[in-house]
Amino acid sequence: MAKIQIVFYSMYGHVYQLAEAVAEGAREVPKTQVQLLQVPELMSEEALEKSGATAAREAFADIPVAKPDNLAEADAIIFGTPTRFGNMCAQMRNFLDQTGQLWFKGTLVGKVGSVFASTGTQHGGQETTITSFHSTLLHHGMIVVGVPYAEQRLLNMKEITGGTPYGATTMAGADGSRQPTKNELAIARFQGKHVAEITQKLCR
Ligand SMILES: Cc1cc2nc3c(=O)[nH]c(=O)nc-3n(C[C@H](O)[C@H](O)[C@H](O)COP(=O)(O)O)c2cc1C
């Protein structure tokens, strides 16, 4: 069995929806075990309530909270983050900054790493969020996997759509009301399946 972890943070549910689609894609590959985990929250309940995030977060409240050591159990880790000023969110950064022991021991060396993201706006930093995230994966010695153009939905110019060769993306809109589209969710499923297939080859 190849073990795929999907480790995400989501404030309003957009990244969570992508995470479920990534999981669906990974589950399509035989002999693949998929686990969803969310990184610990850093904001107070009061601040979340003020930001209007409380209700949206109920949809994924039952997803277990990851501990840094959990990463050691995976053959591949697919990370999901909302963009914060063109970068990953602080919750994810804080989680990764607790992986020093794993780095020291080389625990993640040779495991597959991949990233997906959500922004508020179309040009708000999807690519910068994912590619800057890749630096951490490379420091850990992970094998970085994106979404090749074999996924033809990346070429879709008929609508405004997320989806990059670096990883699946969606756009929440400035007020968070836009939801992941069919095209974006399909690209996320492709990413999950693609990572699982590559992981299977490496596990042989
Ligand atoms: C502090 C902060 C910074 C943000 N920075 C950006 C940004 O640089 N570019 C952008 O397009 N959206 C930005 N956003 C919007 C978030 O990326 C958006 O809310 C998120 O993608 C929604 O995903 P979620 O529902 O999973 O939380 C920011 C939001 C917050 C709260």
Side-chain angles (χ1 to χ4, degrees):
M1 284 302 255
K3 290 186 189 160
I4 314 269
Q5 280 176 1
I6 299 160
V7 178
F8 70 94
Y9 174 80
S10 187
M11 193 160 156
Y12 299 106
H14 297 81
V15 173
Y16 167 63
Q17 288 182 65
L18 288 185
E20 287 286 5
V22 170
E24 244 176 78
R27 283 190 199 107
E28 281 176 35
V29 180
K31 296 185 185 166
T32 301
Q33 200 181 81
V34 180
Q35 185 185 25
L36 273 129
L37 295 165
Q38 54 183 322
V39 300
E41 182 54 90
L42 297 177
M43 287 174 70
S44 66
E45 285 302 327
E46 193 191 352
L48 287 168
E49 180 75 50
K50 263 192 194 159
S51 307
T54 308
R57 293 167 59 81
E58 276 166 24
F60 50 94
D62 60 332
I63 306 266
V65 175
K67 291 192 177 81
D69 280 351
N70 291 146
L71 303 183
E73 298 150 19
D75 297 305
I77 309 159
I78 313 177
F79 296 93
T81 179
T83 292
R84 298 286 185 258
F85 308 113
N87 272 288
M88 72 173 80
C89 65
Q91 290 83 349
M92 184 61 77
R93 184 71 266 162
N94 182 254
F95 178 78
L96 292 170
D97 287 354
Q98 294 174 65
T99 59
Q101 280 300 314
L102 297 179
W103 169 81
F104 188 68
K105 292 182 205 149
T107 307
L108 305 187
V109 174
K111 294 184 191 289
V112 175
S114 195
V115 182
F116 58 96
S118 169
T119 57
T121 60
Q122 198 179 352
H123 303 291
Q126 306 202 326
E127 285 94 339
T128 55
T129 300
I130 297 178
T131 55
S132 58
F133 200 129
H134 286 167
S135 301
T136 301
L137 305 189
L138 289 166
H139 276 252
H140 268 295
M142 299 184 84
I143 300 162
V144 174
V145 171
V147 177
Y149 281 97
E151 168 50 293
Q152 298 268 305
R153 292 177 189 89
L154 291 181
L155 301 167
N156 184 350
M157 293 291 280
K158 291 190 185 136
E159 59 188 287
I160 291 176
T161 181
T164 79
Y166 314 104
T169 57
T170 187
M171 290 159 273
D175 62 359
S177 62
R178 184 182 181 275
Q179 296 303 310
T181 63
K182 212 173 137 193
N183 200 64
E184 291 163 351
L185 292 169
I187 293 169
R189 277 193 292 277
F190 184 99
Q191 184 171 1
K193 188 169 182 218
H194 184 54
V195 168
E197 282 168 348
I198 288 172
T199 309
Q200 284 291 349
K201 283 183 196 164
L202 289 168
C203 285
R204 255 180 229 155

